[in-house]
Amino acid sequence: MGAQGPVVATSQPLLPPKLALGVFEVVSEALFDNRWLNLDYQNASGARAKVEVMPLGLAQQGPRLYLVCRYRDYDNERSLALHRIRSAEMSTLSFEYPADFDLEKYDDDGRFGYGDGTRIRLSFRIERDAGLHLLESPLSADQQAVELPDGRLEITATVVDSDMLEWWLRGFGDAVSEIQKQPAP
């Protein structure tokens, strides 16, 4: 068996945000025991709210941890940044884990990419040097890449539409053009 090297970051490394004392432990225990959580949560805009949530899973995105949950009396999932939870208290009330929820599917639907799971057919043109990596690491299994007479690549792929996709495309600046999004077939 050969030696393995390190996993190399693809973006600027960041330190993880600090969590309020005891939050991780309480959230983890509630997840394990299928118990409701009472949270004091402060969103990114600074607004605070007391919320009661059904914890469904934890996910790590880069240096951040997120709690996937359902608010009481709602059947849609949300992701709450653990570092924005000011305090957490586990309820004595238990719940039946929803049979219709799958954390892996939630991720596959692009929900951690700040989208709602909508799949689109994306096409764009990109300068060859900037897009060469897409020939080795495609955006999707159905990606098509065509080299144009001017040397640019035309990329077409079915992807989840999300804020992360927008940030990624904007990161190429003028090297990307003619971006088109159509509903996925």
Side-chain angles (χ1 to χ4, degrees):
M1 187 181 291
Q4 291 188 319
V7 174
V8 181
T10 59
S11 63
Q12 177 62 37
L14 301 172
L15 294 175
K18 296 203 182 306
L19 302 180
L21 188 63
V23 165
F24 180 78
E25 292 78 7
V26 171
V27 167
S28 297
E29 188 175 348
L31 273 166
F32 184 77
D33 289 342
N34 286 346
R35 298 276 185 93
W36 286 91
L37 277 170
N38 296 304
L39 306 177
D40 178 0
Y41 187 75
Q42 183 173 2
N43 69 19
S45 303
R48 283 177 82 157
K50 302 275 188 188
V51 295
E52 187 176 17
V53 301
M54 174 191 297
L56 301 174
L58 280 175
Q60 183 170 353
Q61 184 180 53
R64 294 186 163 119
L65 282 173
Y66 290 89
L67 170 64
V68 179
C69 61
R70 288 184 182 174
Y71 280 46
R72 180 167 292 285
D73 300 324
Y74 291 88
D75 62 2
N76 63 319
E77 291 80 30
R78 299 179 189 211
S79 299
L80 302 179
L82 238 59
H83 64 278
R84 293 192 185 122
I85 297 174
R86 298 296 165 233
S87 67
E89 182 182 307
M90 186 172 64
S91 169
T92 57
L93 301 174
S94 61
F95 62 86
E96 181 95 16
Y97 196 87
D100 64 343
F101 179 73
D102 180 333
L103 187 60
E104 190 171 334
K105 183 178 182 328
Y106 183 83
D107 180 35
D108 290 346
D109 287 345
R111 300 296 297 273
F112 292 113
Y114 310 103
D116 63 6
T118 303
R119 298 184 73 71
I120 58 167
R121 191 75 177 145
L122 172 70
S123 66
F124 59 92
R125 294 182 177 191
I126 187 167
E127 298 296 327
R128 182 172 176 73
D129 289 346
L132 195 57
H133 70 285
L134 294 172
L135 301 178
E136 301 168 335
S137 298
L139 287 167
S140 66
D142 71 349
Q143 175 180 295
Q144 297 171 341
V146 176
E147 187 161 353
L148 302 171
D150 64 6
R152 293 182 301 161
L153 299 173
E154 184 172 71
I155 305 291
T156 306
T158 303
V159 297
V160 173
D161 196 12
S162 67
D163 289 345
M164 193 173 288
L165 175 65
E166 288 298 319
W167 296 329
W168 180 78
L169 286 167
R170 277 192 230 127
F172 290 106
D174 294 339
V176 167
S177 62
E178 301 178 50
I179 299 169
Q180 296 180 15
K181 297 178 179 181
Q182 304 293 327

